[in-house]
Amino acid sequence: MRYAGRGLMSLFAVGVIGVTGIGWYGETSLNDGFQHSQVIPKEDQSLDGDINMLLIGLDTRKDLNGNDLPKNILDQLHAGDGTEGGYNANSLILVHIPKDLKKIVAFSIPRDDYVQAVGIPGYDHIKIKEAYGLKKFYAEEKLKAQGVTDKIDIERQGREAGRASIVQAVKTLTGVPINRFAEISLVGFYDLADALGGVDVCLNHAVDDSYFSGAVFPAGPQHLDAANALSFVRQRHGLENGDLDRTHRQQAFLTSVAKQIKDSGTLTNIGKLRALMDAAHRDVVLSDGWDLSDFITTLGRAKSPAVEFRTLPVLRYDNVDGQDVNIIDPAAIKKEVRAAFGIEQPTAAAAPKVTPTSTLDVVNATGTSGMAAKVSKSLGGKGFPVGDVSNATYSDGTSTMLYFGTGADTDAQALADMLGGNVTPAASSNVSAGHIKLVLGTDFEIPETLDPAAASSTTTATTSKSAVATTTADTPNNGKPVTTTIGGSIPCVN
């Protein structure tokens, strides 16, 4: 118990995963009872002592075996009759815990960010929250076609495919490796808050969202029971910044749970500890190879490290194929996340290691006339067979993307390396076999290895354009970073 006065454990371990201080009692079951996922490849499991942890909140009304939740639980969730929600990853938080434990950084990822789809047949772009459910559906249909009939087996394999898909989507977006993963369902938020006897929150303004989330709260600090705590983290209608404010709610919820555990005596009450662990075992899935005892012991050696919450920036809101989406700048996001995690920016390769054989088609979505022709010529000089050069259509989007057809994966990766690692190649059925399609978006910057003069002018133009965007009145407000400590004060949010 000698670490009990020191911060005890990560805000995220106690907040989302539901892991408690039971390890300090000498219990041997801390790692037992969880369902585990093999979503993290072995080569990513060790990052020289650092931890990059992806936490997802899954908006499903099913249990881990795909069964409907009991009606009395659904009534408490205020989330419909069980047919709503699908398998969207509506809460996405990427956490960096450095081995020196000096400062923990957590990025909330807005669920409607419009991102490149990786490995999802029929899709080039999706909302990032959809990466889980779409891949799950595809994997399950494939299993059924192979003759698999066991519903629980289909559900578990489908979810595993979904987990791999959401991890890949976040890696592609942020450009950083992920070596820990935790999934909690909608009911898990409820069970966690219920095991703690509710949570404290603080609102800047009174809210009334009785029709959708059930959130009806006055302004100021207040204590919420489990059902209302879930409404608090789910509300997005009627908020000043919509889903961006919801990410701040999730951050406040985590801070409150950590404080509640620290202040309520949970760590010295075996009954409360067991209730919390029971909830975690029911609702949480952890990546394989994650030793929680070692994790908590390591964090226990820290003296309440600072925790900085950030929300990934959104350039603007748009509507694509009838869906409201967040338009983002993937290159800028990669730079911000890598800098915050202390990861060096990759350098652009001067030329492909092996002479490419895939035909390169270049599409211009930059708004700068002649950019596609210039890039096509530069890459042609590096050995890429020159293909079509064209202006983008609406379906191409405005972000830099790299797609490849059958047989062109190696050349596509070589091209990604030449572009500085800020774009991830993705297979596409819409690209002909032996072809690569490079979409130059408004975020595109020509590496100096391709064209020093163009790189300089493009960087200047991009910087100027970004400066204008950040001062526009209707630019989405992702909020300033919030710094707290484990078990620290609870921030007031919209």
Side-chain angles (χ1 to χ4, degrees):
M1 292 296 292
R2 66 192 181 94
Y3 295 129
R6 295 190 183 179
L8 303 167
M9 64 199 74
S10 167
L11 173 64
F12 311 99
V14 297
V16 171
I17 307 173
V19 175
T20 70
I22 200 168
W24 277 280
Y25 290 94
E27 294 281 347
T28 60
S29 60
L30 183 60
N31 289 306
D32 299 332
F34 288 99
Q35 185 175 131
H36 286 86
S37 167
Q38 296 181 347
V39 69
I40 305 297
K42 290 184 178 180
E43 59 267 23
D44 283 349
Q45 289 182 8
S46 177
L47 298 178
D48 192 29
D50 290 350
I51 293 175
N52 290 346
M53 181 196 318
L54 177 61
L55 309 175
I56 75 165
L58 198 62
D59 189 23
T60 179
R61 281 70 163 167
K62 309 281 188 180
D63 66 16
L64 289 174
N65 291 325
N67 300 313
D68 291 335
L69 297 173
K71 185 179 184 302
N72 64 313
I73 296 295
L74 289 173
D75 290 343
Q76 291 294 316
L77 299 182
H78 200 277
D81 62 4
T83 60
E84 298 86 350
Y87 286 85
N88 286 330
N90 278 347
S91 300
L92 289 162
I93 301 178
L94 181 62
V95 185
H96 176 67
I97 305 177
K99 60 183 177 182
D100 61 14
L101 297 175
K102 288 183 178 179
K103 180 181 177 182
I104 298 170
V105 181
F107 280 96
S108 289
I109 304 171
R111 63 177 190 163
D112 289 340
D113 282 2
Y114 198 50
V115 300
Q116 179 180 356
V118 179
I120 303 176
Y123 293 87
D124 286 337
H125 300 74
I126 56 170
K127 295 182 182 183
I128 195 166
K129 69 178 182 181
E130 298 172 327
Y132 190 114
L134 289 174
K135 191 58 178 283
K136 176 181 182 293
F137 175 80
Y138 172 76
E140 289 178 348
E141 291 302 298
K142 190 174 180 180
L143 288 169
K144 292 174 186 177
Q146 293 171 351
V148 180
T149 58
D150 187 303
K151 291 184 177 180
I152 293 179
D153 186 31
I154 291 173
E155 177 74 14
R156 291 190 173 183
Q157 289 195 55
R159 286 203 184 192
E160 191 70 350
R163 292 171 191 129
S165 181
I166 197 69
V167 168
Q168 183 60 55
V170 174
K171 286 175 64 177
T172 299
L173 174 64
T174 60
V176 300
I178 295 169
N179 64 342
R180 298 290 185 273
F181 172 86
E183 169 191 309
I184 185 168
S185 63
L186 189 66
V187 71
F189 280 94
Y190 172 87
D191 285 341
L192 174 58
D194 189 48
L196 291 173
V199 296
D200 295 322
V201 302
C202 179
L203 285 171
N204 291 321
H205 314 287
V207 297
D208 186 344
D209 189 41
S210 52
Y211 183 78
F212 293 102
S213 66
V216 182
F217 309 127
Q222 54 206 287
H223 183 80
L224 304 181
D225 63 17
N228 281 319
L230 183 63
S231 296
F232 171 81
V233 297
R234 289 185 64 234
Q235 184 186 357
R236 65 185 177 94
H237 295 91
L239 298 182
E240 188 175 333
N241 291 293
D243 260 1
L244 295 182
D245 278 339
R246 189 158 89 156
T247 66
H248 303 149
R249 293 268 189 107
Q250 294 162 2
Q251 294 167 357
F253 177 86
L254 295 182
T255 304
S256 180
V257 167
K259 183 173 177 60
Q260 178 77 357
I261 288 177
K262 185 177 180 181
D263 295 347
S264 66
T266 299
L267 295 175
T268 56
N269 184 312
I270 287 293
K272 289 184 177 180
L273 285 172
R274 285 176 176 165
L276 206 55
M277 289 304 298
D278 285 345
H281 291 157
R282 275 197 311 273
D283 306 320
V284 174
V285 177
L286 300 177
S287 56
D288 214 12
W290 188 351
D291 188 323
L292 292 180
S293 298
D294 180 66
F295 175 63
I296 292 174
T297 300
T298 299
L299 289 166
R301 290 195 286 266
K303 296 181 179 180
S304 295
V307 181
E308 181 179 85
F309 285 108
R310 300 190 191 183
T311 300
L312 291 185
V314 173
L315 292 180
R316 68 179 189 279
Y317 302 125
D318 204 343
N319 188 281
V320 177
D321 296 331
Q323 294 193 85
D324 293 329
V325 300
N326 300 332
I327 302 301
I328 58 175
D329 182 342
I333 284 174
K334 287 180 176 65
K335 289 179 181 178
E336 181 175 346
V337 174
R338 286 169 177 161
F341 286 15
I343 298 175
E344 291 185 6
Q345 299 293 336
T347 56
K353 295 179 180 179
V354 179
T355 302
T357 59
S358 306
T359 301
L360 174 62
D361 303 319
V362 184
V363 177
N364 188 7
T366 65
T368 302
S369 180
M371 182 60 73
K374 180 181 292 186
V375 171
S376 178
K377 182 179 179 180
S378 295
L379 290 170
K382 298 292 184 179
F384 283 91
V386 174
D388 294 336
V389 174
S390 62
N391 289 320
T393 63
Y394 186 76
S395 63
D396 288 317
T398 59
S399 296
T400 300
M401 299 291 180
L402 179 58
Y403 305 107
F404 60 87
T406 304
D409 52 334
T410 300
D411 289 344
Q413 184 58 58
L415 177 54
D417 294 340
M418 293 181 66
L419 297 176
N422 288 322
V423 59
T424 302
S428 174
S429 58
N430 297 322
V431 178
S432 300
H435 279 245
I436 301 170
K437 179 180 177 181
L438 174 61
V439 179
L440 307 179
T442 54
D443 57 329
F444 180 72
E445 298 179 21
I446 301 179
E448 293 185 9
T449 52
L450 290 181
D451 188 341
S456 175
S457 63
T458 303
T459 302
T460 302
T462 302
T463 302
S464 175
K465 180 165 49 183
S466 298
V468 173
T470 57
T471 58
T472 302
D474 60 355
T475 298
N477 179 14
N478 63 306
K480 296 180 179 179
V482 175
T483 301
T484 182
T485 58
I486 294 173
S489 60
I490 300 168
C492 286
V493 294
N494 287 339

